[in-house]
Amino acid sequence: FISQIPPKQHTQLLNDPGKLIGSQQLSVAKSCFDERIQDNDTEQEQNIHNITDPTLLEQQSKTLEEEVQQVKRIMRQSRPLGSSPLSQHLRAVYTSILTLKHRIAANDKLIALTIATDGLPTDEEGNEDEHTNIEFVNVLKLFASLPVVIIVRLSTDEERVVNFYNELNSFLTTTTPTTRHDNNQLPPTTSPMNIDVLDDFISEAQEVYEHNPWLTYGLPLHLSREYALEHDILSILDDRLLQPSELRLVCQTLFGTSRFNEDVMPDPVVNYKEFSRVLKLIVDREQYQWNPIKKKSTPWIDFKVLDRIYGHNTVEDVNCTCVMQ
């Protein structure tokens, strides 16, 4: 049922691809699911009925496929040329989300805002300077009051660009001043933000492996992070070693709550040995995932490493990162 209800997705290209290629604004699932968030119970019940109607589902599936193919075609033919006026586009996005703020919050929803870029922010003329950087930071801070998770998806390994966004990530997720590489100190934020900076699949896998070498960082996991799914727990993977109490949350995300609930799954803090035994039964039924670190397909979890880290530790003991060569 859930798999048939994809989230609505809007894409705003920084550079106009031109009339011969297509629109600068792209949408997927817009026509089918605009009514998913409603203000009264009667409309909600009607929407649920429509979503489960087989005829409507078939029609929506066809429309969805056409929209996906159109987005793919435009993205393939477009080239990231010209300036990167990120602040200008983000202000427009902020205004759009602001009108939906209360409706989204009332339904306990979040909007995932993914910024895919290979360069530093510029103005409309392509100028790149301290002013444009500060403007970009100030625009991002506007989203702190909205039900939004921001993912910055880097498409470059240029050092100065990577450093800028990593420092920005540190700055916006803390309330203390951050000193940049140019020794200029950014002012403190008023409150931490939900923001994460992601590199490419292989680079992120290396970072996760440094902190949690027991986990195979499969592509589905990386894509989930790009879409900010279960952001609170998955964003920790490349920051530090998970605590035993957090293992269950990550495994619930990987394998589903139906097979990984409190009634079935032992608490790793209380009984790690039984937790590991039951978890292995679940993992053994899963398909292998391509492991970019070992360059071969492996199970989601390496139990030799997992047991080595957590098998003889209490919660207090597991407070350092471990890398298994």
Side-chain angles (χ1 to χ4, degrees):
F1 174 72
I2 296 299
S3 64
Q4 299 183 76
I5 312 178
K8 183 167 62 178
Q9 176 178 320
H10 295 289
T11 300
Q12 172 73 43
L13 300 179
L14 285 177
N15 309 121
D16 192 340
K19 294 181 179 180
L20 294 179
I21 296 178
S23 174
Q24 190 173 356
Q25 297 180 341
L26 311 172
S27 295
V28 172
K30 180 179 186 299
S31 59
C32 298
F33 304 104
D34 269 344
E35 303 85 5
R36 289 182 66 190
I37 300 179
Q38 297 292 342
D39 293 327
N40 63 67
D41 295 338
T42 301
E43 289 176 333
Q44 287 180 353
E45 292 176 1
Q46 182 64 40
N47 287 331
I48 292 174
H49 171 74
N50 289 341
I51 288 173
T52 56
D53 181 80
T55 303
L56 185 58
L57 276 176
E58 182 179 356
Q59 177 185 347
Q60 291 175 345
S61 178
K62 182 178 179 181
T63 302
L64 181 62
E65 180 61 26
E66 291 174 350
E67 292 174 344
V68 169
Q69 291 305 318
Q70 181 185 36
V71 171
K72 286 184 176 180
R73 179 186 61 80
I74 294 176
M75 295 296 285
R76 281 196 299 264
Q77 296 179 11
S78 301
R79 294 293 180 268
L81 303 174
S83 59
S84 300
L86 290 169
S87 298
Q88 174 191 345
H89 289 292
L90 285 174
R91 285 188 186 277
V93 172
Y94 170 77
T95 302
S96 298
I97 297 176
L98 188 61
T99 62
L100 302 172
K101 174 181 177 180
H102 297 295
R103 294 169 63 189
I104 295 172
N107 286 272
D108 196 26
K109 302 294 183 181
L110 282 175
I111 290 179
L113 173 57
T114 301
I115 304 171
T117 183
D118 63 353
L120 298 177
T122 70
D123 59 20
E124 294 183 35
E125 285 72 38
N127 298 316
E128 175 189 303
D129 53 30
E130 186 71 12
H131 173 74
T132 57
N133 290 346
I134 292 176
E135 182 186 16
F136 178 65
V137 172
N138 288 334
V139 172
L140 284 180
K141 288 164 67 176
L142 294 174
F143 290 90
S145 62
L146 300 180
V148 172
V149 177
I150 299 176
I151 303 296
V152 179
R153 173 62 173 89
L154 296 181
S155 303
T156 180
D157 56 2
E158 188 177 351
E159 186 175 1
R160 69 189 188 102
V161 176
V162 174
N163 287 339
F164 172 80
Y165 286 105
N166 282 335
E167 290 161 2
L168 178 68
N169 182 35
S170 176
F171 166 58
L172 292 176
T173 54
T174 63
T175 56
T176 56
T178 300
T179 302
R180 302 206 327 247
H181 275 54
D182 55 12
N183 295 322
N184 291 324
Q185 195 176 67
L186 293 170
T189 58
T190 55
S191 60
M193 290 181 59
N194 280 331
I195 184 171
D196 199 10
V197 176
L198 297 182
D199 210 327
D200 61 84
F201 171 47
I202 295 178
S203 297
E204 286 297 320
Q206 292 170 341
E207 291 185 26
V208 171
Y209 181 75
E210 289 178 5
H211 298 285
N212 292 281
W214 53 272
L215 177 65
T216 293
Y217 190 73
L219 184 58
L221 191 51
H222 183 69
L223 295 177
S224 296
R225 293 181 67 201
E226 286 190 341
Y227 278 90
L229 300 178
E230 302 298 335
H231 172 75
D232 289 344
I233 186 64
L234 295 186
S235 63
I236 300 174
L237 291 174
D238 62 346
D239 291 333
R240 60 171 173 80
L241 178 68
L242 294 182
Q243 293 290 330
S245 59
E246 295 168 333
L247 288 176
R248 178 185 297 197
L249 296 177
V250 169
C251 290
Q252 282 179 341
T253 301
L254 287 175
F255 310 121
T257 54
S258 60
R259 289 189 296 168
F260 216 92
N261 55 57
E262 294 182 1
D263 296 331
V264 176
M265 203 66 200
D267 188 339
V269 177
V270 177
N271 189 346
Y272 171 80
K273 184 176 181 180
E274 184 63 11
F275 169 84
S276 178
R277 185 190 69 81
V278 177
L279 178 59
K280 191 174 189 307
L281 296 176
I282 296 175
V283 173
D284 285 346
R285 295 196 292 268
E286 294 289 322
Q287 292 184 346
Y288 279 27
Q289 299 293 318
W290 175 254
N291 189 323
I293 303 300
K294 299 183 178 179
K295 295 181 173 56
K296 64 179 182 179
S297 295
T298 62
W300 275 111
I301 294 175
D302 185 332
F303 281 90
K304 289 184 178 180
V305 178
L306 186 75
D307 294 343
R308 189 181 307 161
I309 295 174
Y310 296 98
H312 304 288
N313 293 312
T314 63
V315 178
E316 292 76 15
D317 291 332
V318 183
N319 56 10
C320 62
T321 58
C322 303
V323 178
M324 306 298 174
Q325 299 295 340

